[in-house]
Amino acid sequence: MSKFDAQFRKYIPQMDEESVRKDVENIILKSKSSMQNKSVYCQLISHVDLTSLKSTDSAETISNLVQKVNNFDDKYDILPHPAAICVYPVFASVVKEELTEDVKIACVAGGFPHSQVPIEVKMAEVGLAVSDGADEIDIVLPVGAFLSGDYQLVYDEISEIKSCCGSAKLKVIIETSLLSSVENIARASVLAIISGADFIKTSTGKEGSIASLEAAYVMCKVIKEFDKAGEGKVGFKAAGGINKASDAANYLALVKDILGEDFATPEYFRIGASSLVNNLLSEISGEDEKYF
C-alpha cells in the first residue's frame, strides 16, 4: 500500500454514485423551506468571490468593479459585502491600490485554467500575485497527472505552490466535471488537502466546467473526515455555473448539513461567481438588479 492509498483509506468514507445522489436529494428536499428565502440570500452575498476572469478585462474594467464594491454600502447599506474580488494576477495591484472595503483579494494563478505550464512558472506567478497583494490564490490541480495516477507529482506541485503563498490562503480547484466518478473526486480532494490546500474548489467554470451538488457532497464528506480526525478545518468553494439564488442556497444547505454551522461562514464556504450577486439582489429586492 502506498502512502497515498493509506490516506485515501483514512479520509474517504464509504459512498457510491447512487448513495450520493439519494443523500443530496434528501438534503435539498428537507432544507427547501428553511433555505429558499430572503434572509439566506442576504447571507449568501457574504460568501461570494465576485469574479471577473474575461479576456476583455483591463485595468479600467477591474477598477470599475472595485469601485462598485467600495460604493456597495451607498445603495445596499444593510447587506454584507462579497467575501472577495477574484481576478487574474496582472490585476492584483489594481485591486490592492483601489479597494477600501474589508474584502479579500483573490487571484487565479499557477497556469489557470489548465495547469499546463512548468512548475517554475506556476510558482513564479503565485509569488508575484501574492507580492502584488493577493490574500488568496486559486490554482488548478494538475488533472492530467492525477488521471494518469501520478499522485506524487500532484502532491509535489501543490506543496511547492503552497510554499510560495506565504500568508495567503490556497484554494485548489479539482475540476470535478473532468474526474468522472465519486472515487476520483474523493481522491483528488484528499490529495489537495494533504498537499496544503486551505480550500478545495469544484471547478474553473471554463470550457463547460461546472459545479454539481453531488461533487460538492463528496468534497464536503472528505473535509468532514479531516475535521473529525483533528486535522483542522478546510474550506469548500463551489464555482462554475452557479447563477441562481436558489442554486447557491442549495450549496449552503449541503455545507450546513454535512459540515455544520461552523463551516457556514465566509471563512470556510465560498461561491465563485460573476452574476450571482445580481441575482441575489434581485431576489431580495423583488426587482431586476444589475449593480455588478
Side-chain angles (χ1 to χ4, degrees):
M1 182 185 298
S2 74
K3 66 177 181 180
F4 298 113
D5 289 329
Q7 300 290 330
F8 298 151
R9 289 171 64 90
K10 182 176 181 180
Y11 294 115
I12 298 177
Q14 195 73 31
M15 52 186 167
D16 56 37
E17 275 73 9
E18 184 61 19
S19 66
V20 169
R21 185 188 63 79
K22 287 183 177 179
D23 281 357
V24 168
E25 285 182 357
N26 290 334
I27 291 169
I28 300 309
L29 183 62
K30 73 180 182 181
S31 67
K32 187 173 182 179
S33 60
S34 62
M35 296 300 293
Q36 303 292 340
N37 58 68
K38 291 184 179 181
S39 175
V40 171
Y41 298 158
C42 290
Q43 177 189 345
L44 282 165
I45 294 173
S46 70
H47 294 271
V48 174
D49 285 0
L50 189 64
T51 303
S52 187
L53 300 173
K54 301 187 291 291
S55 297
T56 54
D57 286 341
S58 66
E60 181 181 5
T61 63
I62 297 302
S63 176
N64 289 339
L65 178 64
V66 174
Q67 294 310 316
K68 287 181 179 181
V69 172
N70 289 341
N71 298 328
F72 190 76
D73 284 346
D74 293 345
K75 186 172 182 180
Y76 305 105
D77 61 320
I78 65 171
L79 297 177
H81 286 92
I85 299 173
C86 184
V87 296
Y88 283 113
V90 69
F91 301 118
S93 60
V94 175
V95 183
K96 179 70 173 178
E97 182 177 343
E98 300 193 18
L99 185 63
T100 61
E101 300 301 313
D102 186 16
V103 172
K104 300 298 184 184
I105 303 170
C107 284
V108 296
F112 179 94
H114 300 302
S115 191
Q116 298 286 24
V117 299
I119 182 60
E120 294 84 1
V121 176
K122 295 179 181 182
M123 294 171 69
E125 188 178 26
V126 169
L128 287 169
V130 173
S131 68
D132 279 350
D135 303 300
E136 301 172 356
I137 297 292
D138 292 38
I139 67 164
V140 180
L141 175 145
V143 178
F146 173 82
L147 292 175
S148 298
D150 195 347
Y151 300 149
Q152 189 66 54
L153 185 151
V154 174
Y155 176 87
D156 289 344
E157 282 211 357
I158 297 173
S159 299
E160 289 184 56
I161 290 170
K162 174 66 174 178
S163 72
C164 301
C165 287
S167 61
K169 288 189 174 181
L170 178 63
K171 306 191 196 94
V172 177
I173 306 163
I174 66 172
E175 282 290 44
T176 54
S177 58
L178 301 180
L179 300 184
S180 304
S181 69
V182 163
E183 183 68 18
N184 276 344
I185 292 170
R187 289 188 172 209
S189 298
V190 170
L191 273 176
I193 293 170
I194 65 174
S195 303
D198 298 296
F199 271 76
I200 53 175
K201 175 179 170 182
T202 58
S203 316
T204 61
K206 300 294 186 180
E207 297 184 2
S209 166
I210 61 171
S212 74
L213 291 169
E214 290 75 17
Y217 175 97
V218 175
M219 295 166 73
C220 288
K221 282 288 190 180
V222 170
I223 291 171
K224 182 69 172 179
E225 293 302 311
F226 276 88
D227 188 43
K228 283 166 52 181
E231 301 291 345
K233 287 181 168 60
V234 175
F236 167 73
K237 179 175 174 179
I242 304 172
N243 301 314
K244 296 180 180 179
S246 57
D247 292 337
N250 286 337
Y251 283 96
L252 179 58
L254 279 183
V255 169
K256 286 186 173 185
D257 189 273
I258 299 169
L259 295 172
E261 292 288 342
D262 287 350
F263 282 82
T265 68
E267 184 177 4
Y268 296 112
F269 170 55
R270 300 284 183 84
I271 300 175
S274 56
S275 61
L276 176 60
V277 175
N278 283 340
N279 289 326
L280 289 167
L281 292 172
S282 297
E283 290 291 339
I284 293 164
S285 68
E287 300 177 359
D288 187 21
E289 300 278 355
K290 296 188 182 298
Y291 182 78
F292 288 111

